[in-house]
Amino acid sequence: MVELVSEKLLIASIVLAGFAGVPGLFRPRDGRAGERLFVGLMTLAGVCACLGAVGALALGWSNELAVTWLVPGGQLVIRVDAISAMFVLQIAVLAVLGAWYGLEYWPQRGHRDNGRKLRTFFGAVTAGMLLLVIARNAVLFLVGWEIMAASAFLLVSTEDEKPTAREVGFVYLLATRAGTLCLFAMFALLGAAGGSLSFDAWPRALASPLRDAIFVLGLCGFGLKAGLMPLHIWLPGAHANAPSHVSAVMSGVLIKTGIYGLVRLTASCELPPLWWGYALIGAGVVSGVLGVGFAIGQHDLKRLLAYHSVENIGIICLGLGVALLGRSLGRPGLVALGVAGALLHVWNHGLFKALLFLSAGSVLHATGTREIDRLGGLWRRMPRTGLAFLVGAVAICGLPPLNGLISELLVYLGLFRTGAEGGGPWMAVALAAPALALVGALAVACFVKVFGAVFLGNARTSDTERAHECGPTMWVPMAILGGTCAFIGLAAPLVARVLDVGVNAWAGAAATSPMPALNRIAPLVWVSATSAALLVAIALFGMRLARRARARAAAPEVGTWDCGYAAPTSRMQYTSSSFAELLVGLLAPALRPSQHSPRLAGPFPAPEGFHSHVPDTVLDRALRPSFSFVARLFGRLRPIQRGNVHLYLLYILGTLVVLLLWR
């Protein structure tokens, strides 16, 4: 029974994570025993999940585990194949690191009212995610999906005494309900066309005339969870207002369950039509470009990071679109590059985005604000946090020597190969490759802005001046994430062997020819070697700078003329608005920014301020006004609902008369 070890380990992991927060409910609100027990159980759950995933990926411990279940249409069937294992690894690692981070960031003694609630649903959301990525039946999948969705709603609204937290929580709830309705319809069509709600029936269903409707419903349902533009409406507010380690898990892995659904659905289609690939590439381009565009215009540090999740989901969809084009055209090279790029970017985005959210949480923990224009000069006070944020920023921009470069390189190679081999999809290269380059350039500009405004220059407020570095339970998880980003960047040929397993699992029985190994079709050895050389050069340059700084400190120099910058103040520094003004202006037709310009009159004008804001075009410009209009419209119908029984009898009589006349 070695084949079922992975499944049994995953079941143990789900049970441990699901009940990790329960013992704390019976402990005193002021004690620390409950939170320490929670971290211990979550760590044990993470170890079990990682062992199960590694066993499935490398040792063949996996097989289908079926247990009798009396739920109509349901079947208690689980299996940890290579695709599931790759998602399980990420869920387990980020959940454990988040639990440890929360010991200092959200301690029970400082959060007597909601600390126990947060830990209970943190464990439940982890269990829900683990369950849905190993389920092999639609009903069981939806059970995990709903546990995850409900727990995430309660985590987003952890501070439910704040109106903003309640508002973003309800927006999330509305979006996730809409997504689940789409999934209900998708599973109903799959069941009708395939004759079963088992995932094994999906290939038969996706060969039927209903396959296009199934794909559209899946794209909407899973796209809502993933935060694909324009279905991202819940994501910026939820990630900004949730506790930072919850934001890290939501951005790092929760939204990836939507990607998992798309990966699993497309893997089951033996011959997808070309337009599926085009649709994913188009959605990826829109999500990537507009996601980073909205990020540039934000003043809230965590909201800015949230929009970068929208951008990176677009990059993942680009890779998956290339893979679908490859399968439609019968080109194994495209399939390998596209799937590997998408799966590796799922990993990479989870790592560097969690690192960025934990770094932002450290800043928030130290200063009490997320407003970028109230921060500044934190590098001197919080060097570890600053270094962690810098590593995450370099990685998310796809720059060497870190991991973001590798996954984006695979997607680039897939796009270029699409054009080089000729045929119909040359438009994919003509539009998507420049768009991906534009996304990378805008991401660099955005993180230059945010890193400069938050960590460089002088402190803008007294809160920033009193900021202090976080403790080991917060910076050790950040160090692990940063080290993993570097490892993937420097050991890409080793990671490629794991990705080959995932590529073959996606290609499955539908593959008409063997999938090429990634190390044969991508220059990963050269890229990693160059990255290592660059890292050594950076280290030597840093040592030289440090030696020069120590020499200057021993013999300080005084400039004779500094262009008026001899005594700089925080008012002389760039703000996030001023730095991003040009780029926001270029993207204004899509971003629709709003500005409040000062009115200066007379020789001695009164002090005035300049304010700019980039609201969400879909939520704030379209959906909110539409819902308000509908609410006002229905408000006018209130006079017909007065609670008067005689009036209701009159309505019934009128309805009967109309029906009699109509008959």
Side-chain angles (χ1 to χ4, degrees), residues 4 12 36 215 253-254 259 276 371 380 435 448 458 468 545 578 596:
L4 294 175
R36 288 173 177 168
F215 176 74
V253 289
L254 187 141
I259 295 297
W276 286 23
E371 285 296 319
R380 290 188 291 272
V448 167
N458 294 325
H468 56 83
L545 280 181
S578 57
H596 171 73

Side-chain angles (χ1 to χ4, degrees), residues 300-376:
D300 184 317
L301 180 57
K302 290 179 65 179
R303 193 174 174 87
L304 179 147
L305 296 178
Y307 273 112
H308 276 287
S309 294
V310 178
E311 168 217 332
N312 281 276
I313 289 296
I315 295 174
I316 294 169
C317 285
L318 279 177
L320 196 54
V322 169
L324 280 174
L325 288 182
R327 176 171 277 184
S328 301
L329 298 170
R331 298 177 182 173
L334 293 185
V335 173
L337 290 169
V339 174
L343 290 178
L344 184 56
H345 208 71
V346 167
W347 269 7
N348 288 343
H349 177 251
L351 293 169
F352 55 61
K353 184 50 69 64
L355 176 60
L356 288 167
F357 267 116
L358 295 187
S359 304
S362 179
V363 170
L364 176 60
H365 187 259
T367 63
T369 182
R370 307 192 307 255
E371 285 296 319
I372 296 173
D373 289 340
R374 293 179 58 81
L375 300 169

Side-chain angles (χ1 to χ4, degrees), residues 224 227-233 286-287 618 623:
L224 266 165
L228 192 63
M229 187 79 75
L231 306 173
H232 67 288
I233 55 169
V286 171
S287 198
V618 179
L623 291 182

